[in-house]
Amino acid sequence: MNNFTYSIPTKIHFGKGQIAHLSELRESGEKVLLVYGGGSIKKAGIYDTAMKILKDAGLCVSELSGVEPNPRIESVVKGVGICKEENIDMVLAIGGGSVIDCGKVIAAGACSEEDPWELVLHPEKITAALPIYSVLTLAATGSEMDKFAVISDLKKNEKWGTASEHMKPKMSIMDPEYTYSVSKKQTAAGTADMISHIFENYFTNVSNADVQARFAEGLLKNCFYYGPVALEHPDDYDARANLMWTSSMAINGILSDGAEVAWCVHPMEHELSAFYDITHGEGLAILTPHWMEFALNEATAKKFADYGRNVWNLPMAEDDMETARKAINCTKEFFKDMGLPSTLREVGIDETYFDVMAEKAAAGCKGSYVELTKEDIVHIYENAL
Amino acid sequence: MNNFTYSIPTKIHFGKGQIAHLSELRESGEKVLLVYGGGSIKKAGIYDTAMKILKDAGLCVSELSGVEPNPRIESVVKGVGICKEENIDMVLAIGGGSVIDCGKVIAAGACSEEDPWELVLHPEKITAALPIYSVLTLAATGSEMDKFAVISDLKKNEKWGTASEHMKPKMSIMDPEYTYSVSKKQTAAGTADMISHIFENYFTNVSNADVQARFAEGLLKNCFYYGPVALEHPDDYDARANLMWTSSMAINGILSDGAEVAWCVHPMEHELSAFYDITHGEGLAILTPHWMEFALNEATAKKFADYGRNVWNLPMAEDDMETARKAINCTKEFFKDMGLPSTLREVGIDETYFDVMAEKAAAGCKGSYVELTKEDIVHIYENAL
């Protein structure tokens, strides 16, 4: 196990009706910038409920709506502008990970003289942020409890993650009922996203970080069990609750602290989204089994076999390589059963940009579990076609 | 899953050499009360290292030493006196759970006009506390990252737990190397303590809190795997590290948030320690298998079988009741293999106080997984004789 510093300062109010805790925002001042997406929070009644609680608590609300599924730097710039003009005290993001990511970089940008895109490219330039609050409406990215934000500049085909301790939300509200209306497509993609976060922490070269490894296996079991339940019964509270809490735990640091490793599938997928604006979780579901097949070798077979035995209950006695192959197959079948695409062609991607995407992805996955050259990534893209 | 609020504000610096972070205490002021036990931290060199770092950081240190293994209210009173007389800004506890528990109630008592014993009996009277820091030297109670403290008044044969959000440490240092010198007896007892914390969260009547349940199973696997390794090889870093991190995770709220249940074996054991001043973890190891046998019935067999299958890898296809019995046997054998006592007589306890101890314990375990009357507890004590 590596040395690490654990710090998860975000307070979570989890469960039915917890939105009432929005009144706590009053601790951070008076003026809130409310950030949200395309209006689904209005249809679901969350907007009205939130506004009433905020106003009853004496808060004054400005708004930035229309944040995109792969949030754009233009939205960040707009939000930073509002914060500066109106002396905003805090940011409240209501939505999924994209909205929260956007809110985070707005909060950082509001405290900086830098061009906001600089804060995306150079996380070390983030030296402060307004207090960030969130109400989560989609179980997927874990942004409600972590330091990360991913922002795109689609004009440049760029999609990059940034991170800062300052961007960890102060408080997040997680009401599983708010995810009842999430579509099958987004439920499946969200589940694929959290699975990918777990894998990309689990497949590490740090040996014997076993608290982290056993936790990862437990979270994977939950995804494989509750993902299909949520698809079949969108209003199953326990399925939605377990997926929601899993999504936070997958990336809040509990799995990675002491077991650090660079990610691999995420950087490869970010290129797909940057060039084709596809749904992030779908890209991950397509690439993950092919990354696994590429990464499986004599040296890694034991780890893949652990995954198969501890998560899929494959027999303890069987050969590692055989068990590893079966585990990869289980993963592939799971994504298929969730209705997720399994080839790049299904989401409209061909080989046109493989070369340029692979070059950029290779820069992003230096230090990952199995080293990946640009050529390796092209090979993985080709296998995923 | 129940509604819950998650809040773990403690920052943890985990790993070799992390004691250097003691310089961060400067954030909380200038005057530190250093609380420790019988001097083992001097033998191990931790005392000298800590003093140098504190002084180099410009901190002024007062001391309270001699805190007992089951910390007494007299030590708390003494510490509170020092804090008030010397206008102490913060408390630093260096030691195991007993020392940290003592430091916590001192920190609370320093901010209160109440008799400190009142803060033990009535947690709601704790309304503030000085900032609490700790350096952990024994993996067991999890006090370094939680809100609990257990204090004894042996003159009255009383041992009670208290709890407060205000008593969550601000920062704790966890260096697994500091536990290399822990004796076999204390290593085994500490492991039994954390196992008991995990069980007492795992056996809950809250259904489908599966993030919590899978995490608990993962932590149990770690205890069963690494406990014997640490006994055999006291300086195995990974064994000590995994046990140490497990001990924090067992009780910091991650297992209990959303899966709340009153504990049962701990209240029964606290009476043994209050009347006989025995090692807490040994009492737990003696009582746990007997509690399990008592708690096993048609309604609970499925949960015990889950435990057997997911932690001990017992066959998936076998009958629940059969699997449950095997799982309980595995638990019993594990404690025996760790060299822990398995009968009350071995630790000098006979039936003299069964009645009065059971009466007090019954008050403490209202709302536990399986309801326990005073008579049930006498029955469990008798079986454990």
Side-chain angles (χ1 to χ4, degrees):
Chain A
M1 199 186 294
N2 289 343
N3 277 13
F4 63 88
T5 290
Y6 168 102
S7 172
I8 307 185
T10 307
K11 183 181 278 193
I12 301 289
H13 294 296
F14 191 101
K16 299 176 192 178
Q18 297 283 41
I19 197 167
H21 287 281
L22 277 184
S23 58
E24 291 173 19
L25 268 65
R26 201 62 188 73
E27 295 166 10
S28 295
E30 270 182 32
K31 296 173 95 174
V32 188
L33 176 65
L34 171 62
V35 179
Y36 58 102
S40 65
I41 66 162
K42 289 194 173 165
K43 251 186 285 170
I46 303 171
Y47 175 89
D48 286 341
T49 308
M51 284 303 250
K52 183 167 173 5
I53 297 165
L54 294 170
K55 290 194 168 155
D56 287 352
L59 288 146
C60 167
V61 184
S62 303
E63 296 189 31
L64 175 74
S65 64
V67 174
E68 309 77 10
N70 284 314
R72 318 269 170 96
I73 189 63
E74 291 84 352
S75 295
V76 173
V77 170
K78 217 158 133 186
V80 170
I82 301 175
C83 288
K84 291 188 172 176
E85 276 160 36
E86 305 187 11
N87 285 314
I88 293 290
D89 295 316
M90 73 203 86
V91 174
L92 168 61
I94 304 186
S98 298
V99 168
I100 302 174
D101 283 6
C102 183
K104 284 174 165 176
V105 186
I106 289 172
C111 298
S112 169
E113 294 307 311
E114 296 279 352
D115 172 357
W117 186 243
E118 283 293 296
L119 305 181
V120 176
L121 296 181
H122 306 285
E124 71 282 3
K125 293 192 176 176
I126 300 173
T127 55
L130 297 179
I132 297 157
Y133 295 86
S134 82
V135 177
L136 185 65
T137 61
L138 178 70
T141 73
S143 187
E144 66 281 359
M145 205 177 180
D146 75 13
K147 64 181 174 183
F148 302 105
V150 182
I151 304 292
S152 297
D153 184 340
L154 291 185
K155 278 187 255 151
K156 301 182 192 142
N157 294 128
E158 302 264 0
K159 179 175 181 175
W160 295 108
T162 184
S164 168
E165 290 296 314
H166 302 289
M167 294 198 309
K168 288 181 175 170
K170 188 174 164 70
M171 184 263 276
S172 290
I173 286 163
M174 300 173 64
D175 185 337
E177 293 185 319
Y178 290 170
T179 64
Y180 286 179
S181 59
V182 172
S183 69
K184 275 189 199 299
K185 175 186 159 94
Q186 288 298 339
T187 298
T191 306
D193 193 21
M194 60 186 100
I195 288 172
S196 193
H197 294 160
I198 304 165
F199 280 145
E200 293 184 73
N201 286 309
Y202 182 69
F203 289 100
T204 171
N205 292 306
V206 178
S207 61
N208 301 322
D210 286 340
V211 173
Q212 298 86 334
R214 300 292 87 75
F215 277 6
E217 290 162 355
L219 293 179
L220 287 168
K221 280 188 187 184
N222 278 339
C223 293
F224 296 143
Y225 180 76
Y226 281 114
V229 178
L231 276 199
E232 184 81 14
H233 306 286
D235 56 357
D236 183 304
Y237 184 81
D238 286 319
R240 293 298 193 176
N242 277 288
L243 288 174
M244 200 175 217
W245 198 215
T246 293
S247 73
S248 305
M249 288 292 161
I251 194 173
N252 64 7
I254 281 186
L255 302 188
S256 56
D257 286 341
E260 290 76 7
V261 61
W263 288 16
C264 44
V265 182
H266 263 70
M268 286 193 273
E269 197 293 322
H270 283 172
E271 298 309 319
L272 304 184
S273 291
F275 278 76
Y276 295 92
D277 202 16
I278 66 166
T279 299
H280 177 52
E282 294 191 342
L284 294 168
I286 296 167
L287 294 177
T288 295
H290 295 288
W291 170 79
M292 286 183 158
E293 279 162 1
F294 178 86
L296 177 61
N297 58 43
E298 284 303 321
T300 63
K302 166 82 174 59
K303 183 79 185 184
F304 280 98
D306 281 351
Y307 158 57
R309 293 179 187 120
N310 295 336
V311 177
W312 292 104
N313 293 316
L314 297 178
M316 304 301 283
E318 264 181 21
D319 167 71
D320 279 353
M321 188 56 85
E322 182 61 22
T323 305
R325 284 209 189 93
K326 283 185 186 167
I328 295 172
N329 261 333
C330 289
T331 316
K332 203 184 279 187
E333 288 304 312
F334 172 81
F335 287 138
K336 216 177 279 174
D337 292 345
M338 289 288 285
L340 288 156
S342 55
T343 66
L344 293 176
R345 284 208 182 86
E346 286 173 69
V347 294
I349 297 177
D350 63 17
E351 50 275 88
T352 314
Y353 297 109
F354 278 3
D355 215 59
V356 49
M357 294 194 301
E359 180 141 6
K360 290 167 85 175
C365 42
K366 276 207 177 74
S368 69
Y369 180 58
V370 168
E371 285 299 327
L372 293 170
T373 63
K374 176 189 153 184
E375 289 69 33
D376 296 331
I377 296 173
V378 169
H379 179 73
I380 291 171
Y381 285 149
E382 283 170 350
N383 284 344
L385 248 186
Chain B
M1 199 185 293
N2 289 341
N3 276 13
F4 63 87
T5 291
Y6 169 102
S7 171
I8 306 183
T10 307
K11 183 182 275 194
I12 301 290
H13 294 296
F14 191 102
K16 298 175 192 179
Q18 296 282 41
I19 197 165
H21 288 280
L22 276 184
S23 58
E24 292 173 19
L25 269 65
R26 201 62 187 76
E27 295 167 11
S28 296
E30 270 182 29
K31 297 174 93 173
V32 188
L33 176 65
L34 171 62
V35 178
Y36 59 103
S40 65
I41 66 162
K42 288 192 175 166
K43 252 185 286 171
I46 304 171
Y47 175 90
D48 287 341
T49 308
M51 284 304 249
K52 186 170 171 359
I53 297 165
L54 294 171
K55 291 192 170 158
D56 287 352
L59 288 146
C60 167
V61 184
S62 303
E63 295 190 32
L64 174 74
S65 64
V67 174
E68 309 78 9
N70 285 314
R72 319 271 170 94
I73 188 65
E74 291 85 352
S75 294
V76 174
V77 171
K78 218 159 135 186
V80 170
I82 301 174
C83 288
K84 290 186 173 179
E85 276 160 37
E86 303 187 12
N87 284 316
I88 293 289
D89 295 316
M90 73 203 87
V91 173
L92 168 62
I94 305 187
S98 298
V99 168
I100 301 173
D101 283 7
C102 184
K104 283 175 168 178
V105 186
I106 291 172
C111 297
S112 168
E113 293 307 311
E114 296 279 352
D115 172 358
W117 186 244
E118 284 292 297
L119 304 181
V120 176
L121 297 181
H122 306 286
E124 70 283 3
K125 293 190 176 176
I126 301 172
T127 54
L130 297 178
I132 297 157
Y133 295 86
S134 83
V135 177
L136 185 66
T137 62
L138 179 70
T141 74
S143 188
E144 65 281 0
M145 206 177 179
D146 75 13
K147 63 182 176 184
F148 302 105
V150 182
I151 303 293
S152 297
D153 185 340
L154 291 185
K155 279 188 256 152
K156 301 182 190 143
N157 294 129
E158 303 264 2
K159 178 175 181 174
W160 295 109
T162 185
S164 167
E165 290 296 314
H166 302 289
M167 296 197 309
K168 288 180 174 170
K170 188 173 163 71
M171 185 262 276
S172 290
I173 286 163
M174 300 174 63
D175 184 337
E177 293 185 319
Y178 290 169
T179 64
Y180 285 178
S181 60
V182 172
S183 69
K184 274 190 199 302
K185 176 188 159 91
Q186 288 299 339
T187 298
T191 306
D193 193 22
M194 60 185 99
I195 288 172
S196 194
H197 294 161
I198 304 166
F199 280 147
E200 293 186 71
N201 286 310
Y202 181 68
F203 289 101
T204 173
N205 292 306
V206 178
S207 60
N208 301 322
D210 287 338
V211 172
Q212 298 86 333
R214 301 292 86 77
F215 276 7
E217 290 162 355
L219 294 177
L220 286 168
K221 281 190 187 182
N222 278 341
C223 292
F224 297 142
Y225 180 77
Y226 282 114
V229 177
L231 276 199
E232 185 80 14
H233 306 286
D235 56 357
D236 182 303
Y237 184 81
D238 286 319
R240 295 297 194 178
N242 278 289
L243 288 174
M244 201 175 217
W245 197 215
T246 292
S247 73
S248 304
M249 287 292 162
I251 193 172
N252 64 7
I254 281 187
L255 302 188
S256 56
D257 285 342
E260 290 76 6
V261 61
W263 288 16
C264 45
V265 181
H266 264 70
M268 287 193 271
E269 198 293 321
H270 283 172
E271 297 309 319
L272 305 182
S273 291
F275 279 76
Y276 296 92
D277 203 15
I278 65 167
T279 298
H280 177 54
E282 294 192 341
L284 294 169
I286 295 167
L287 294 177
T288 294
H290 296 286
W291 170 79
M292 286 182 156
E293 279 162 0
F294 178 85
L296 177 61
N297 58 43
E298 286 302 323
T300 62
K302 165 80 173 61
K303 182 80 186 184
F304 280 97
D306 280 352
Y307 159 57
R309 293 180 188 121
N310 294 336
V311 177
W312 291 103
N313 292 317
L314 297 178
M316 302 302 281
E318 263 180 25
D319 167 70
D320 279 351
M321 187 56 83
E322 183 60 22
T323 305
R325 286 210 187 90
K326 283 186 188 165
I328 295 173
N329 261 334
C330 289
T331 316
K332 205 184 278 188
E333 288 305 310
F334 172 81
F335 288 137
K336 217 177 277 176
D337 293 345
M338 289 288 285
L340 287 156
S342 56
T343 66
L344 293 175
R345 284 208 182 86
E346 285 173 68
V347 294
I349 296 177
D350 63 17
E351 50 275 88
T352 312
Y353 296 110
F354 277 5
D355 215 58
V356 50
M357 293 194 302
E359 180 143 5
K360 289 166 87 175
C365 42
K366 276 204 176 75
S368 69
Y369 180 59
V370 167
E371 283 301 327
L372 292 172
T373 64
K374 178 189 152 186
E375 290 68 34
D376 297 332
I377 295 173
V378 169
H379 179 73
I380 291 170
Y381 284 149
E382 283 171 353
N383 285 344
L385 246 185

